[in-house]
Amino acid sequence: MATNEPQMTWERMCAAINEEFLREGEPNIDHLKKCMQAYTSNISDWGKYNIFDPQRQRYTRNLVDEGNGRYNLIVLCWPEGKGSPIHNHAGSHCLMKILRGPIKETMFYWPNKSEERDGYPEQPMREMSCRTYQTDEVAYINDTHGLHRVENPSHTDGSVSLHLYIPPITLCEAFDDNTARTRTCKMKFDSRGGEQVATD
């Protein structure tokens, strides 16, 4: 693991993240990233959030910590070959720690709005870059970096990632690959504290 930070347990990592938000001012993103890098993934730590949806075969969002409204810490579980739509982050920071890889991230440019009429004109989304992350790697994105899609490229095993959103995201925009048309997505949780909740 490419970090010189002392190793952290799951509990210490979660506590260190929380402590960063107890002080006034903007959180130190670099410090939070180092905290997540300093933890070595072990399913015995986060197993209660390892909740998949075998019936609907979609990724799940499992809340670890609501962060007193200043952040959300969430475990996302990705079935084989499944992923998110292309989406933005509604002005939030997003740190992603791979708990069980691989996780593929494809970055996209924002659609061209120079001929905007009612929303974005129809146009295919333009890919910027693509990278596959392995267990214990940490990625970062915000809207100035572009848009992205996150997916599990494996067709044999589920993948799991830990996401830190600052501030919490309640709504985001998803973009159609071929037309750049957007739809607003409401962010919901499949479980809280390891306990499943009813979803639509």
Side-chain angles (χ1 to χ4, degrees):
M1 182 171 54
T3 177
N4 294 321
E5 293 296 300
Q7 291 295 292
M8 286 189 177
T9 63
W10 171 269
E11 292 78 10
R12 180 58 196 141
M13 177 193 66
C14 292
I17 290 170
N18 183 264
E19 288 165 8
E20 181 63 23
F21 293 88
L22 297 179
R23 62 180 184 81
E24 296 295 325
E26 291 296 312
N28 184 326
I29 301 300
D30 287 339
H31 172 68
L32 291 167
K33 184 176 182 179
K34 288 177 181 178
C35 290
M36 296 177 80
Q37 288 173 327
Y39 167 67
T40 300
S41 181
N42 188 323
I43 193 172
S44 65
D45 298 324
W46 45 266
K48 70 177 182 179
Y49 309 108
N50 186 42
I51 299 172
F52 284 78
D53 185 346
Q55 291 187 326
R56 286 186 281 184
Q57 277 293 296
R58 58 169 180 80
Y59 75 91
T60 60
R61 304 176 77 250
N62 306 289
L63 182 66
V64 177
D65 191 344
E66 286 188 299
N68 293 321
R70 297 193 65 189
Y71 69 91
N72 277 171
L73 191 62
I74 307 170
V75 168
L76 274 63
C77 297
W78 308 88
E80 299 91 327
K82 301 298 182 180
S84 72
I86 301 169
H87 61 277
N88 71 356
H89 291 87
S92 292
H93 302 278
C94 173
L95 287 155
M96 176 175 71
K97 162 89 172 184
I98 312 307
L99 297 179
R100 182 171 67 222
I103 290 286
K104 178 182 176 182
E105 178 188 45
T106 307
M107 298 287 299
F108 294 85
Y109 294 100
W110 282 87
N112 185 354
K113 297 184 72 171
S114 62
E115 299 177 5
E116 181 179 3
R117 298 177 184 87
D118 181 17
Y120 295 101
E122 285 201 6
Q123 59 193 288
M125 296 296 293
R126 294 178 300 138
E127 184 175 321
M128 182 190 306
S129 63
C130 184
R131 177 176 173 181
T132 298
Y133 293 91
Q134 303 298 332
T135 301
D136 284 324
E137 291 191 281
V138 178
Y140 170 78
I141 188 174
N142 65 44
D143 286 340
T144 67
H145 293 185
L147 308 166
H148 76 173
R149 171 192 286 126
V150 177
E151 59 191 304
N152 176 5
S154 172
H155 292 280
T156 57
D157 298 297
S159 293
V160 183
S161 52
L162 177 68
H163 295 240
L164 176 60
Y165 296 110
I166 310 162
I169 300 176
T170 56
L171 298 171
C172 77
E173 297 295 320
F175 293 74
D176 182 87
D177 293 48
N178 298 314
T179 67
R181 288 180 180 173
T182 62
R183 58 185 173 88
T184 301
C185 301
K186 183 178 181 180
M187 300 292 97
K188 299 179 180 180
F189 298 118
D190 295 277
S191 72
R192 292 172 175 266
E195 298 293 328
Q196 288 186 267
V197 297
T199 58
D200 297 333

